[in-house]
Amino acid sequence: MKDTYRHKGMRKKLVEELRRKGISDESVLNAIEALPRHFFLDKAFEEWAYKDKPFPIGKEQTISQPYTVAYQTSLLDVKKRDKILEIGTGSGYQAALLAMLGARVYTIERQEALYEKAKALLSELKLGNIRCYLRDGYKGLPEFAPFDKVIVTAGAPEVPQPLLEQLAIGGIMVIPVGENVQRMHRITRLSEDKYNDELLANFRFVPLLKGLNPND
Ligand code: SAH
């Protein structure tokens, strides 16, 4: 895999575009500028990697639009060493970005083919601390809870209760909620049984599906 000056130039332009669209978190913008997004798309689609667009990655799934990744990552307020749970590994790009920000990342995917591909790519890139799991993300990873942050990168019909329970007190969850259009929620856990729920902008994600189904 090659990262050329041309790729770097395209990333710089993408970051300028994200800035114009209102992303202002410098650590997130720096990480986007540093991480080759074209590594996460098939070689034939390299040119698409630096457009601010979602893109198909197979199995009817998409790598999220850079703006959406930047928006969700900014809301998470990532600190070095944060323990972060991601639901929906997909291409692995979001997980890689969180690792570049110094987080310890646990990411779950329900599609076996995507899981295998992302796992191989992420270990090849050696970006740091990322563990991949083939599971149903609705249930989270109770054996590794609590998490400082939880990020859901598929549209959830409702906020899964297990994910609320696995959030550390003081922790933040960023999750798009809704059926056709999703409203971004930032949920902060204030105490054992109190949560603050902020409703933010609307997005369109592929759906969070129930259960593991290697055939779909
Ligand atoms: N974060 C990804 C994009 C995710 S697209 C990236 O950076 O490329 C949403 C992903 O969520 C898809 O890969 C889909 O298969 C996965 N998904 C949907 N429902 C899920 C569930 N219940 N558990 C885990 N993953 C799920």
Side-chain angles (χ1 to χ4, degrees), residues 3 8 11-12 14-15 18-19 23-38 40 50 66 69-70 73-74 78 80 93-103 127:
D3 188 34
K8 291 190 174 93
R11 277 209 294 288
K12 230 184 212 348
L14 173 63
V15 164
L18 295 176
R19 224 188 266 282
I23 303 294
S24 59
D25 184 321
E26 290 301 324
S27 62
V28 172
L29 292 168
N30 287 338
I32 289 174
E33 186 160 343
L35 180 63
R37 189 167 183 265
H38 63 282
F40 298 83
Y50 298 108
V69 173
T73 310
S74 303
V78 180
K80 282 209 166 54
Y93 178 75
Q94 173 76 71
L97 198 68
L98 295 171
M100 291 199 56
L101 290 166
L127 292 169

Side-chain angles (χ1 to χ4, degrees), residues 57 59 61-64 69 86-95 108-111 114 135-138 153-154 206-211:
I57 53 172
K59 302 282 172 192
Q61 304 306 324
T62 56
I63 177 170
S64 303
V69 173
E86 181 197 19
I87 311 302
T89 312
S91 67
Y93 178 75
Q94 173 76 71
I108 307 183
E109 173 58 54
R110 67 183 283 284
Q111 287 273 3
L114 297 176
R135 300 266 192 107
D136 176 4
Y138 264 95
T153 65
V206 293
L208 186 69
L209 300 170
K210 282 228 160 96

Side-chain angles (χ1 to χ4, degrees), residues 5 47 53 76 84 88 102 136 150 158-159 179 191 203 207 209 211:
Y5 279 113
E47 287 300 317
K53 294 260 160 58
L76 270 187
I84 304 187
D136 176 4
V150 175
E158 76 276 323
V159 181
E179 300 280 349
S191 66
F203 289 85
L209 300 170

Side-chain angles (χ1 to χ4, degrees), residues 41-75:
L41 298 181
D42 287 339
K43 184 117 181 56
F45 305 120
E46 263 194 23
E47 287 300 317
W48 291 84
Y50 298 108
K51 295 186 194 302
D52 189 22
K53 294 260 160 58
F55 203 79
I57 53 172
K59 302 282 172 192
E60 292 176 28
Q61 304 306 324
T62 56
I63 177 170
S64 303
Q65 179 175 350
Y67 175 78
T68 307
V69 173
Y71 184 91
Q72 284 197 287
T73 310
S74 303
L75 287 176

